[in-house]
Amino acid sequence: MAKYMILIYGDAAQWDAMTEEQWQAHNAGHAAFAAKAGTRVLDGRQLENTPTATSLRADVHGQVHTTDGPFLETKEGIGGYYLLEASDLDEVLELAQLLPELNYTHSGLEIRPVVERG
């Protein structure tokens, strides 16, 4: 079994503008995903909006600098994630299609295999 990270991207302003009814439908979509994925979900969380992020970067002298917010200026930020264990990418793709972010034009998903060392 391999591990895969599903990164959930979207526009925080669009999420903040959702009505209570929209949030209920959105959360029901995540519940359906979690129910179908079952024990394949190792972890998953919603993240605070992008402006709450703190970025760290080292300069050419090895000095570490921190900045408020994400390093890249972008309209979409990471809003959450799931860590899954699955037999292959096709299994993850099938499950990921249940996620409600695919119902909005302002959000999307990125799936990456997790590197296992040692």
Side-chain angles (χ1 to χ4, degrees):
M1 292 289 236
K3 291 181 182 158
Y4 295 87
M5 178 71 73
I6 299 175
L7 300 170
I8 300 169
Y9 289 90
D11 181 347
Q14 297 274 344
W15 281 326
D16 288 344
M18 288 172 57
T19 66
E20 182 61 31
E21 294 79 24
Q22 289 171 316
W23 272 113
Q24 288 176 4
H26 186 83
N27 291 336
H30 279 278
F33 167 80
K36 175 99 181 196
T39 59
R40 290 174 284 206
V41 175
L42 303 177
D43 193 19
R45 299 279 191 267
Q46 180 179 359
L47 301 174
E48 291 291 340
N49 286 340
T50 304
T52 67
T54 301
S55 295
L56 291 96
R57 295 281 176 170
D59 63 22
V60 295
H61 306 291
Q63 187 74 12
V64 176
H65 302 275
T66 61
T67 57
D68 292 337
F71 182 72
L72 298 174
E73 289 295 324
T74 180
K75 188 173 184 177
E76 292 182 346
I78 298 174
Y81 70 92
Y82 284 103
L83 178 62
L84 275 76
E85 191 166 56
S87 58
D88 58 26
L89 178 60
D90 289 336
E91 184 177 5
V92 178
L93 288 170
E94 181 181 328
L95 291 168
Q97 295 202 29
L98 296 172
L99 290 168
E101 283 74 16
L102 296 178
N103 297 324
Y104 308 106
T105 58
H106 72 83
S107 61
L109 307 173
E110 179 180 333
I111 300 170
R112 291 195 198 180
V114 174
V115 175
E116 302 272 352
R117 289 198 164 78

